[in-house]
Amino acid sequence: MSGQGRQRNGRNEQKQSAGSTQYEALSIQWFPGHMTKARRMIAENMKLVDAVCELLDARIPAASRNPEIDTLCGSKPRLVVLNRSDLADPEITARWREYFRQQGLPVLETDAKSGKGVARFPQAVRTVLRERLAALEAKGQGTRPLRVMILGIPNVGKSTLINRLAGRKAAVAGDRPGVTRGRQWIRIDSGLELLDTPGILWPKFDSQEVGEALALTRAIRPDILDRETLAANFLLRLRTLKPEAVEMRYHVTPDAEKNGYALLEDVGRSRGFLISGGEVDLERTANVLLSEYHEGKLGRISLEAPPEDA
Ligand code: G4P
């Protein structure tokens, strides 16, 4: 989606044009040293747990996956949790569930913020661990608590989920990679314990589209990017994915002939976000569009569909 020409006039035209290299800034949060520390911490904790819960953003289950997750988890039983399901398109989430199921990965959908779906977590973990449970029972160790670690990229909802499961403010929110504290286990029901510190993983930044998806869902701070470019490209995506969302929210039909900036101008004009000379305040429009997507005001919009649907 990069590199499309801008159709902008006056002050808007003077604004700095974003080149395709801007996304290099995204990887700033994850230096190789951070990744090494995170890997080490996860490897240490992996030895202590019976299962892993891989937390993904239901709107971007591919982009929010860590590129090394299979290597990191090895043969450890794994549950995929599609969090923020309240913001994702339910039909697309159902297709993702099937996609992961075909790969042998059971899926739980949650909205950790409201708590929806979270009550099913213990049972879902037990299902993932049924073979392990049977083996422990055969060895006469059936009473040992089963232990789980939550893994995910920053801001996907790990602390919120842990707090929900713990029923109190147990997890310390924080995105610092590789931070190790004294290990504590949270008993979430009889015989099931959760490592109180989630494993923080790095996302992959293998294309501009993935970088944008991470910024739109706030896995990375959107202000790392040129917000107007991000918003303009988002409107191009919406025009394909869900044009009716733009129509419903902003009373504008996304014109098939226009580029992203022109679509952003249309949205800003419709909202009455004007500055001197009757020009549209693109910065304000971009901020409002990005915030409203974050808050779910545009409806439930998934940014990625499973590969076979692409
Ligand atoms: P992390 O530990 O993985 O870094 O993420 P954390 O739990 O801190 O959650 C990051 C933000 O995502 C929090 O919002 C949290 O409320 C929100 N969140 C977590 N799970 C869900 C969910 O299932 N649905 C929705 N809609 N939001 C969720 P925040 O940054 O504190 O503020 P705000 O984004 O709520 O305004």
Side-chain angles (χ1 to χ4, degrees):
M1 277 194 281
S2 63
Q4 78 280 5
R6 290 183 167 193
Q7 297 168 1
R8 303 159 81 187
N9 303 311
R11 276 176 57 175
N12 288 346
E13 202 173 41
Q14 290 166 19
K15 289 197 177 137
Q16 170 251 328
S17 154
S20 59
T21 55
Q22 64 177 315
Y23 288 89
E24 284 170 16
L26 296 189
S27 52
I28 273 170
Q29 294 173 323
W30 287 96
F31 294 111
H34 287 153
M35 292 189 195
T36 308
K37 276 190 202 153
R39 258 189 220 110
R40 195 185 311 133
M41 191 199 107
I42 287 162
E44 278 168 17
N45 289 332
M46 196 66 74
K47 292 180 211 144
L48 307 174
V49 297
D50 298 287
V52 169
C53 162
E54 183 188 0
L55 198 58
L56 303 176
D57 187 313
R59 295 166 298 173
I60 51 164
S64 59
R65 277 198 115 182
N66 174 271
E68 293 180 19
I69 189 75
D70 290 339
T71 313
L72 290 167
C73 292
S75 59
K76 204 65 77 169
R78 210 190 315 172
L79 171 70
V80 169
V81 172
L82 295 176
N83 191 43
R84 294 180 193 247
S85 59
D86 55 310
L87 299 174
D89 183 323
E91 282 176 27
I92 296 178
T93 303
R95 299 217 300 260
W96 277 109
R97 197 172 49 227
E98 181 57 19
Y99 168 83
F100 285 115
R101 204 188 58 76
Q102 282 179 12
Q103 295 183 8
L105 291 168
V107 173
L108 180 68
E109 289 165 41
T110 58
D111 164 4
K113 196 167 180 172
S114 77
K116 198 166 169 218
V118 174
R120 291 201 295 274
F121 183 88
Q123 187 51 46
V125 173
R126 276 183 219 291
T127 305
V128 164
L129 280 170
R130 57 188 181 277
E131 283 174 20
R132 180 109 185 97
L133 271 168
L136 283 172
E137 262 162 35
K139 281 198 280 180
Q141 297 173 0
T143 52
R144 171 172 94 57
L146 296 168
R147 292 182 152 175
V148 189
M149 167 168 54
I150 288 181
L151 290 180
I153 65 168
N155 228 22
V156 71
K158 298 179 294 299
S159 304
T160 311
L161 178 64
I162 293 174
N163 288 336
R164 278 270 162 208
L165 288 164
R168 63 192 156 88
K169 285 273 164 205
V172 179
D175 293 345
R176 280 184 300 151
V179 174
T180 320
R181 296 185 286 127
R183 283 189 199 87
Q184 286 189 3
W185 299 94
I186 299 165
R187 179 66 64 99
I188 56 173
D189 77 1
S190 61
L192 201 58
E193 292 183 349
L194 197 63
L195 185 62
D196 74 332
T197 316
I200 303 166
L201 297 171
W202 59 99
K204 61 177 177 212
F205 298 95
D206 60 358
S207 70
Q208 172 153 338
E209 209 172 342
V210 167
E212 285 180 355
L214 293 167
L216 288 168
T217 55
R218 305 211 173 167
I220 52 171
R221 289 195 316 277
D223 50 332
I224 275 177
L225 308 176
D226 175 320
R227 290 168 78 91
E228 288 173 36
T229 305
L230 183 64
N233 287 346
F234 180 42
L235 282 171
L236 293 178
R237 274 195 200 207
L238 284 177
R239 184 170 65 193
T240 309
L241 288 174
K242 213 161 188 177
E244 64 274 23
V246 182
E247 281 158 20
M248 296 270 286
R249 183 76 196 164
Y250 303 113
H251 311 294
V252 172
T253 304
D255 190 322
E257 302 298 314
K258 289 186 176 174
N259 73 13
Y261 296 98
L263 296 177
L264 193 62
E265 286 203 57
D266 288 348
V267 167
R269 186 163 290 109
S270 168
R271 267 294 178 90
F273 294 160
L274 302 179
I275 43 180
S276 57
E279 263 189 51
V280 173
D281 185 342
L282 288 182
E283 192 181 344
R284 183 175 175 201
T285 311
N287 286 337
V288 166
L289 177 70
L290 297 175
S291 295
E292 293 196 342
Y293 176 59
H294 176 66
E295 291 156 16
K297 288 184 180 163
L298 285 137
R300 301 175 70 174
I301 302 171
S302 299
L303 299 178
E304 291 178 334
E308 63 262 53
D309 295 324

